[in-house]
Amino acid sequence: MSVRTQSSEEPAEAVHRAGFACFVGRPNAGKSTLTNALVGQKVAITSNRPQTTRHTVRGIVHRPDAQLILVDTPGLHKPRTLLGERLNDVVRTTWAEVDVIGFCLPANEKLGPGDRFIAKELAGIKKTPKVAIVTKTDLVDSKTLAEQLIAIDQLGKELGITWAEIVPVSATANQQVDLLADLLIPLLPEGPALYPEGDLTDEPEQVMVAELIREAALEGVRDELPHSIAVVVEEMLPREDRPADKPLLDIHANVFIERPSQKGIIIGPKGKRLKDVGIKSRKQIEALLGTPVFLDLHVKVAKDWQRDPKQLRRLGF
């Protein structure tokens, strides 16, 4: 078993590589946080609620000799609703199209049925190289980490998966994040850059704005509404009659929940919660778009939208 903890020598010949990597793992395995750490800017939303990523968010790592495009998939899980089934289909389609798969396993949790479920699926994808990434290493001591590395090696042997690498990382403490990129890049095909320099993601801005609002709305209602929130940005328009040096972007967005009883939870007493959501997400949106924003939020009920194909389509799933 080879566990990487330091960078190997650079090859002499200059070859440019470009390709797609995706991180898989059960919900809350640290996939989005890792994407953000590698790209160096917030592109995927992170929340300690499982199942927050619903869109394939691509983060792009630019290097002189390579371009690594990260595809962040929803966590694969045993589905209980139509939305759950659609998310799993998204994952499998993504796996079939990438150049390398990073399987994220948190260092602080023993391997469980969820990890085995994913590993079995991965074992069926023969050609794509697979890297086992042990995340959240800052939360454990070296003995626990060593045990986890051995367990992952064993899991591979048991299921017939040859790990291209096993890499321990901590995205929050920024340990070994660059090394991970160094190890993923040689697994990409040779070729020119696929995106212009400076692009960090190809997600439409409206989708990213909706995700930031949704992230802010999820905070503080951890247990009550984990999956019941969807956000749709209705329009983003520059305010007319503003001087060129003082632009303002008007953003109108709807926060959808499933039941009228949830409305009070999101809005909060005297509208305080919704106001906080607005303030928090506006800061993030302004940082993302680099322009002052006026954010207009409305809460609406879309009855049982997770189980209704028509509503799922309307809300972008």
Side-chain angles (χ1 to χ4, degrees):
M1 167 177 97
S2 79
V3 176
R4 288 302 191 100
T5 52
Q6 63 189 36
S7 191
S8 49
E9 291 298 301
E10 286 295 298
E13 76 281 8
V15 172
H16 191 279
R17 295 181 181 275
F20 295 84
C22 80
F23 293 145
V24 303
R26 58 194 161 76
N28 211 11
K31 303 181 292 290
S32 297
T33 313
L34 191 54
T35 300
N36 293 337
L38 277 161
V39 177
Q41 186 167 333
K42 191 159 186 172
V43 289
I45 74 162
T46 56
S47 141
N48 31 16
R49 280 252 38 108
Q51 274 318 99
T52 44
T53 308
R54 289 186 184 158
H55 295 279
T56 304
V57 178
R58 293 181 172 83
I60 303 168
V61 180
H62 298 273
R63 293 229 174 150
D65 60 335
Q67 193 175 65
L68 172 66
I69 299 137
L70 301 166
V71 186
D72 190 19
T73 56
L76 191 77
H77 60 301
K78 292 215 161 74
R80 285 189 295 275
T81 62
L82 180 61
L83 172 66
E85 282 171 33
R86 292 215 176 157
L87 291 176
N88 280 356
D89 290 343
V90 170
V91 178
R92 293 196 185 94
T93 321
T94 307
W95 291 5
E97 293 165 355
V98 296
D99 301 299
V100 55
I101 297 171
F103 183 18
C104 294
L105 300 127
N108 62 332
E109 294 172 40
K110 282 199 159 33
L111 299 187
D115 301 311
R116 285 183 174 279
F117 175 68
I118 295 170
K120 279 195 182 115
E121 293 265 338
L122 284 178
I125 301 169
K126 294 289 183 233
K127 290 192 183 125
T128 317
K130 295 157 205 71
V131 172
I133 304 166
V134 186
T135 58
K136 309 186 187 187
T137 55
D138 55 307
L139 301 179
V140 298
D141 58 24
S142 52
K143 181 173 176 287
T144 312
L145 178 57
E147 284 165 3
Q148 187 71 322
L149 293 168
I150 291 164
I152 290 166
D153 188 46
Q154 284 303 114
L155 179 66
K157 289 198 172 95
E158 205 178 296
L159 297 173
I161 301 171
T162 308
W163 303 117
E165 305 280 355
I166 300 178
V167 197
V169 301
S170 165
T172 47
N174 201 17
Q175 290 164 342
Q176 304 235 113
V177 173
D178 285 341
L179 171 70
L180 175 61
D182 294 342
L183 296 175
L184 292 173
I185 284 166
L187 301 170
L188 302 177
E190 291 180 21
L194 302 169
Y195 288 87
E197 183 72 48
D199 278 17
L200 293 176
T201 173
D202 74 346
E203 273 294 281
E205 283 177 346
Q206 247 161 287
V207 174
M208 292 182 75
V209 166
E211 287 283 271
L212 288 171
I213 295 168
R214 189 161 161 268
E215 179 179 26
L218 274 171
E219 219 150 276
V221 290
R222 302 233 176 292
D223 306 314
E224 294 123 307
L225 310 174
H227 306 312
S228 306
I229 300 175
V231 176
V232 175
V233 173
E234 296 295 335
E235 57 178 17
M236 286 172 41
L237 296 168
R239 175 90 50 100
E240 288 177 17
D241 312 324
R242 296 282 293 196
D245 59 338
K246 289 201 174 147
L248 183 68
L249 189 66
D250 283 315
I251 298 180
H252 300 279
N254 290 326
V255 178
F256 288 97
I257 50 195
E258 294 196 289
R259 290 187 292 286
S261 60
Q262 298 170 334
K263 219 167 173 172
I265 300 173
I266 286 281
I267 294 170
K270 296 190 177 160
K272 184 175 179 321
R273 238 203 118 256
L274 189 63
K275 196 176 166 192
D276 290 347
V277 169
I279 292 168
K280 190 160 188 215
S281 55
R282 197 187 74 233
K283 278 196 188 126
Q284 299 265 16
I285 294 163
E286 289 180 340
L288 173 76
L289 302 177
T291 177
V293 161
F294 171 78
L295 183 59
D296 176 39
L297 286 182
H298 292 275
V299 179
K300 299 196 167 181
V301 178
K303 200 167 166 343
D304 292 331
W305 63 264
Q306 293 196 48
R307 294 173 193 281
D308 177 348
K310 261 209 205 86
Q311 305 236 45
L312 278 171
R313 272 201 301 279
R314 190 167 68 95
L315 297 173
F317 299 109

